[in-house]
Amino acid sequence: MDETLYGRQLLKSDIPKSLRHVVDNDKQIKKVAGMSINGQFVICQRCGHKNHRSQCQTSTGYYCVYCINMGKVKSDAFLYRIPRKLKQAKRENCCEWKGELTKIQQRVANDLLTAYDNQTNHFVHAVTGAGKTEMLFPLIEKSLIDGKIIGIATPRIDVCLELFPRLQAAFPSINSNLLYGKSKQEFDGAPLVICTTHQLMRFFHYFDILVIDEADAFPYVNSAELQYATKNALVKKGMMVFLTATSNKNLENYQNTTRSVVSRRFHGRDLPVPNTFYCPKLSTQLRKGTLPKKLIQTIDKQTHPLILFFPDISLMLDSYNVLKKRWPDKQMGVVYASSKTREETVEKMRQGELDILLSTTILERGVTFHCISVMVVCADHRVFNRATLIQIAGRVGRSGDSAVGEVLFLHEGKTTAIKQAIKEIKQMNRRSTL
Ligand SMILES: [Zn+2]
């Protein structure tokens, strides 16, 4: 059997042509029908989505509407579930990270090791900038030494892109894979996988430990399908670890789960509390090309690179043209999910080459920029829920130096989400670490 197939759940079209005869003749490989019919519904066996018959019918059967971007699952085709190699080699000490965990980080690292020993799941609520990735290193090392397979999955591509080089640097002797929709790398049987939560649909009972980083992010948090795929990707009795920067009752109440809370950033300073500004008819004015006073003042007096978050792409692009006209000398960039230059623009911002970056919520989390301020334009829009606003505020003041930017919310009326986000940030600042 080829290393690239172990532990996978694949459509025939996902399997290289040269290997298709192998999977057809191997008795250990389970072939399951892509979909099962239940009354008016057709249920996808890869993502668990309940498709209504009338919405997914073709001339030969049915297909799954939900996970079609991962390749079409059809009722008249099979999913190949390929068992993983029975024995994984034990490994030597492999963590080369030279940094030192703070006392608080060490406590969480120990909580994770205890959960691993006791075979419980674990939930880590650690404020933005607490250094969550480093807290995972002892667990990753211990599990690799024990010959386990560990996956770190996150709903956000940008988070994957930021995590992967850090993990490669920390575990240079371990083969690791980075998997997302357009990644150049293919899965090659690595014991350490960093991927988007969507990629978990292509695994079956592969991971001994699955860490969901930014588990409170869209689309994972509200997706029964991604959560179904996560369960399938994990071995029976495998360990789930959830990492989030906001409280989340559903995840905290996951079966057999212990919990750690970190209310301080690694450098010990408070989280920045957002300042709110009431701007009547803000979105209408912006669409007419009129900028709010607060925005003009902020840019005129700008001391830090600034990220402007917008609720939708069209309002953002309109505003970009207006801003460009008013401040032609400022270096500006725009990012959104389908933007072709997304990765380069984010990198430019990281390198300090941009004065102003306009973004949709795709940059709300996971990414770290040095010494920035953020402004949420139309913070009362429904896309800015409590978790999103907390995450956006958390982009500011992450590094250890004292130059701290500002967090500004422009709104046409304070929503519950705005009030709750500010309340949770203040609570975490007040709270002594548990
Ligand atoms: Zn599906």
Side-chain angles (χ1 to χ4, degrees):
M1 181 67 69
D2 194 275
E3 295 273 342
T4 61
L5 298 180
Y6 283 123
R8 301 290 266 167
Q9 168 171 261
L10 300 171
L11 297 167
K12 201 156 205 180
S13 54
D14 296 328
I15 300 169
K17 277 192 183 134
S18 58
L19 295 172
R20 285 183 194 167
H21 69 282
V22 183
V23 294
D24 271 329
N25 296 318
D26 191 321
K27 295 235 161 34
Q28 287 188 37
I29 295 174
K30 241 189 167 175
K31 277 163 69 176
V32 291
M35 306 185 84
S36 69
I37 296 174
N38 188 348
Q40 280 309 301
F41 294 100
V42 196
I43 297 148
C44 174
Q45 297 304 298
R46 186 169 67 179
C47 75
H49 185 72
K50 273 172 91 178
N51 297 273
H52 202 277
R53 273 191 195 221
S54 61
Q55 286 166 343
C56 64
Q57 193 146 21
T58 65
S59 55
T60 54
Y62 303 97
Y63 70 97
C64 179
V65 177
Y66 184 87
C67 64
I68 190 161
N69 288 339
M70 303 291 293
K72 211 183 223 178
V73 174
K74 294 190 273 190
S75 56
D76 56 348
F78 292 109
L79 282 168
Y80 293 77
R81 290 178 176 168
I82 304 148
R84 70 178 212 189
K85 237 197 244 172
L86 271 182
K87 277 227 153 151
Q88 289 287 320
K90 299 223 170 181
R91 303 171 190 97
E92 301 292 315
N93 288 8
C94 51
C95 184
E96 304 269 319
W97 183 62
K98 294 284 177 273
E100 214 174 300
L101 295 174
T102 63
K103 251 191 196 158
I104 299 166
Q105 288 174 322
Q106 188 62 56
R107 180 176 50 76
V108 178
N110 293 344
D111 289 348
L112 283 162
L113 290 171
T114 306
Y116 173 76
D117 288 338
N118 296 341
Q119 299 186 322
T120 59
N121 302 305
H122 199 74
F123 176 88
V124 180
H125 175 189
V127 293
T128 53
K132 287 197 292 292
T133 309
E134 290 77 12
M135 296 176 203
L136 288 175
F137 289 169
L139 173 69
I140 296 173
E141 184 177 41
K142 174 86 173 74
S143 58
L144 288 169
I145 289 173
D146 289 347
K148 306 279 187 196
I149 296 177
I150 181 161
I152 300 169
T154 158
R156 299 305 177 96
I157 291 173
D158 301 275
V159 178
C160 285
L161 295 175
E162 186 157 304
L163 276 177
F164 184 66
R166 288 165 71 191
L167 286 161
Q168 265 191 320
F171 299 92
S173 63
I174 299 294
N175 180 27
S176 52
N177 286 166
L178 170 64
L179 308 175
Y180 60 98
K182 288 180 186 149
S183 69
K184 292 177 191 88
Q185 198 174 29
E186 299 270 342
F187 175 68
D188 66 4
L192 177 60
V193 174
I194 292 87
C195 64
T196 55
T197 44
H198 271 85
Q199 293 295 321
L200 296 177
M201 290 186 203
R202 296 210 177 106
F203 288 97
F204 194 81
H205 291 183
Y206 181 65
F207 297 103
D208 296 291
I209 300 172
L210 255 181
V211 179
I212 308 291
D213 192 9
E214 310 285 354
D216 56 336
F218 174 83
Y220 185 83
V221 69
N222 296 320
S223 168
E225 291 80 2
L226 290 175
Q227 291 167 22
Y228 173 98
T230 305
K231 275 195 181 153
N232 274 344
L234 191 67
V235 298
K236 280 186 188 154
K237 296 194 179 161
M239 177 187 187
M240 287 296 307
V241 176
F242 299 105
L243 304 181
T244 82
T246 61
S247 56
N248 187 299
K249 284 282 164 283
N250 283 345
L251 297 171
E252 285 168 61
N253 294 334
Y254 192 83
Q255 56 181 3
N256 191 23
T257 298
T258 47
R259 175 171 176 254
S260 309
V261 179
V262 183
S263 54
R264 281 275 141 192
R265 292 183 148 182
F266 78 93
H267 52 54
R269 271 193 286 281
D270 273 358
L271 296 162
V273 179
N275 287 314
T276 58
F277 293 89
Y278 173 60
C279 307
K281 296 184 183 156
L282 177 59
S283 56
T284 323
Q285 294 291 337
L286 276 173
R287 283 190 210 279
K288 282 189 199 155
T290 312
L291 298 173
K293 236 194 225 156
K294 186 67 200 171
L295 178 59
I296 296 171
Q297 284 170 355
T298 306
I299 296 178
D300 277 341
K301 290 187 202 150
Q302 190 180 7
T303 49
H304 300 88
L306 174 68
I307 304 186
L308 296 173
F309 284 91
F310 286 84
D312 66 70
I313 297 173
S314 78
L315 186 65
M316 176 172 78
L317 295 178
D318 287 352
S319 306
Y320 176 78
N321 292 330
V322 180
L323 291 169
K324 207 63 217 157
K325 222 181 245 169
R326 184 164 182 130
W327 290 279
D329 297 335
K330 299 254 183 200
Q331 295 301 315
M332 296 187 199
V334 184
V335 279
Y336 50 97
S338 56
S339 141
K340 290 206 175 82
T341 52
R342 172 174 167 181
E343 285 171 35
E344 291 106 278
T345 309
V346 171
E347 192 48 37
K348 269 191 190 167
M349 187 69 181
R350 236 180 233 132
Q351 298 302 331
E353 291 167 21
L354 297 180
D355 301 306
I356 301 170
L357 177 63
L358 289 78
S359 173
T360 57
T361 56
I362 58 157
L363 290 189
E364 78 189 31
R365 56 179 77 226
V367 288
T368 299
F369 301 108
H370 191 62
C371 255
I372 54 159
S373 287
V374 299
M375 179 183 280
V376 182
V377 180
C378 303
D380 52 316
H381 191 282
R382 64 188 156 74
V383 303
F384 297 117
N385 60 29
R386 173 186 59 97
T388 298
L389 290 171
I390 292 173
Q391 285 287 355
I392 288 175
R395 297 309 98 206
V396 172
R398 295 172 76 88
S399 52
D401 58 36
S402 54
V404 174
E406 277 185 296
V407 182
L408 306 165
F409 290 171
L410 308 189
H411 64 89
E412 294 178 52
K414 273 190 207 171
T415 55
T416 311
I418 295 177
K419 289 179 201 159
Q420 282 177 341
I422 294 173
K423 191 173 160 199
E424 187 166 326
I425 290 167
K426 286 182 176 167
Q427 266 170 358
M428 288 305 249
N429 280 342
R430 267 200 305 270
R431 176 181 188 143
S432 57
T433 311
L434 292 176

